[in-house]
Amino acid sequence: AGADAVTGSLRDEEAGTTTEFPELMRPLREPRESRRVRVISGSVPEALHGGVFMRNGPDQRHTPLFPEGRHWFDGDGMIHWCHLSAGDGAQSYGCSYVETQGFKEEREKGGEALYCGIKQSPILDLVLHGMWSKVRNFPTPDRPWWVIQTKNTANNGLLVTGKGTLLATYEAGSPYEIRFERSGGGGADSSTLRLVTEGVYTPTQREAPAHPILGAYNHYLHNFTAHAKVCPRTNEVIFLSYDLIGQRFSVGVLNSDDSLVSMETFEFPFAEGEACMMHDFAITEGKVVLMAHPLLFDKEQSMGGGVPFTYDMSAPSFFGILDRRRGGSGGLGTEAEVSWIEADNCYCFHSMACWEEDETVHLYAHRLDVTGALGMATFRRDGNEERPRVEEKARLHKWTLQTAGGGGAR
């Protein structure tokens, strides 16, 4: 493969295709052993000495099964890191893949791609392989029942739990536990790092759940999504799990020791009960703030060979307020309810900051007027297909959410 350093394009000679990648997502296609680098300007702040700066993102290692449907987000998760030492002395940089179940299966086949990308419609052979993979990896497949012919790439994000467990996350699957090993000796400043994938992360169950199937984290039923939150006061981890086909979502809480203390299930707020991509959310000291925007899963469109989502330009957005205090020290509590606040049509992939004052929640998030979900969505308005000219440019937006008297958003 050849790559253009300016445009970010990738020419795959084997497949005879050229794909345009965002420059930061242009694949390396191989790991890089940890090596010494030097600070060429400034110095590393003392508070960061001995720390590790990390980045997770997709890196397409293999020629895809369907090059014409290649999407830059299909790549295996690659962790880039820089081990920070004192002052302007030697640092170390390296990168390595998260060795997921799909990654190992393809490595066993000599580097042959066994899974398709996120834009490919269902194909029987791939569905059968995906089902076999779930059986083979019993009882901890890395993606739920409704994700079959695409693999968990663990390429979305990074999270350190309250207990200190380092996780590589994925939107439609369970996270992977990873860690670093030191090598080279001579103390922290002179050693280099190597990434180790421990395996699929499984929260420990502290108490029997009220609902044995829906109440516990089950690898065949649940995903962890990309952007779980760690509460800076309690060290609790709060995460989302949604079922696009079953049209329900769950909010889970891990205690500071990584034990699952609460997992409650809710329905989506849209008129027909459609499931949406609930990619991110926010927390305050006492609230979970959900963002449900009308990027809706379209099962018929997906099964018919189209992309998996439709953005409904005539539907409202919703912000959901969930009380973290209701369950006391035991998480959300089985009587937890979401208060939905209707808002303007828009989409937010990511939140930035959130806090509460009395009965008001303030939320900063990156707002798009509409979104094609990185090429994964069509558009509709009042039930009819639309072909808008979309500029995927987010802007920082502040919402003020009134949580009393019926609620309101502005």
Side-chain angles (χ1 to χ4, degrees), residues 75-123:
D76 291 293
M78 176 174 275
I79 310 297
H80 298 257
W81 68 85
C82 186
H83 184 202
L84 305 174
S85 60
D88 60 355
Q91 320 292 310
S92 67
Y93 162 80
C95 62
S96 186
Y97 290 104
V98 182
E99 297 189 0
T100 64
Q101 292 170 0
F103 180 93
K104 291 180 178 179
E105 291 167 10
E106 292 176 335
R107 185 171 59 189
E108 290 172 2
K109 287 289 186 179
E112 175 187 351
L114 299 176
Y115 293 88
C116 70
I118 55 181
K119 296 174 66 176
Q120 184 63 43
S121 58
I123 297 174

Side-chain angles (χ1 to χ4, degrees), residues 167-398:
L167 303 179
T169 63
Y170 180 63
E171 178 73 9
S174 296
Y176 271 80
E177 182 177 346
I178 57 177
R179 63 180 175 86
F180 287 105
E181 284 186 348
R182 296 185 186 274
S183 61
D189 287 348
S190 61
S191 64
T192 57
L193 300 180
R194 182 176 74 90
L195 185 72
V196 177
T197 302
E198 294 285 5
V200 180
Y201 176 70
T202 303
T204 58
Q205 187 74 34
R206 191 173 72 176
E207 298 175 359
H211 304 286
I213 296 177
L214 295 179
Y217 188 89
N218 185 311
H219 289 84
Y220 285 96
L221 298 177
H222 298 120
N223 57 321
F224 203 85
T225 65
H227 300 298
K229 309 300 180 189
V230 180
C231 177
R233 289 188 179 273
T234 66
N235 278 337
E236 291 174 311
V237 175
I238 301 171
F239 66 95
L240 301 183
S241 171
Y242 56 74
D243 182 345
L244 292 178
I245 297 177
Q247 298 185 330
R248 289 175 177 267
F249 71 93
S250 300
V251 180
V253 179
L254 304 181
N255 209 348
S256 58
D257 62 359
D258 283 13
S259 60
L260 180 65
V261 294
S262 176
M263 191 153 185
E264 304 304 322
T265 302
F266 309 95
E267 295 182 352
F268 289 94
F270 299 99
E272 302 298 323
E274 301 106 317
C276 68
M277 180 192 285
M278 197 177 283
H279 182 66
D280 199 4
F281 65 106
I283 63 171
T284 69
E285 187 174 353
K287 301 284 192 298
V288 178
V289 182
L290 304 167
M291 302 190 298
H293 301 291
L295 180 61
L296 307 174
F297 177 63
D298 193 323
K299 183 170 65 175
E300 292 184 3
Q301 178 174 275
S302 179
M303 295 296 290
V307 291
F309 295 97
T310 293
Y311 186 84
D312 190 340
M313 301 173 67
S314 56
S317 294
F318 293 91
F319 293 98
I321 307 298
L322 187 58
D323 192 349
R324 289 178 57 192
R325 303 185 184 97
R326 183 181 292 270
S329 60
L332 300 175
T334 57
E335 301 300 319
E337 295 181 0
V338 179
S339 298
W340 292 107
I341 300 172
E342 186 172 321
D344 294 339
N345 181 281
C346 65
Y347 194 82
C348 300
F349 275 108
H350 300 113
S351 64
M352 181 177 177
C354 193
W355 71 96
E356 57 183 296
E357 293 177 339
D358 298 323
E359 295 178 337
T360 301
V361 172
H362 303 278
L363 170 69
Y364 279 93
H366 298 94
R367 173 176 175 161
L368 293 159
D369 291 332
V370 296
T371 182
L374 307 177
M376 293 187 291
T378 57
F379 300 87
R380 75 180 185 217
R381 185 192 299 273
D382 297 322
N384 300 311
E385 183 180 356
E386 289 264 332
R387 295 182 180 273
R389 195 169 183 178
V390 177
E391 184 180 15
E392 298 268 357
K393 183 177 289 187
R395 62 186 186 277
L396 188 61
H397 187 93
K398 181 186 178 183

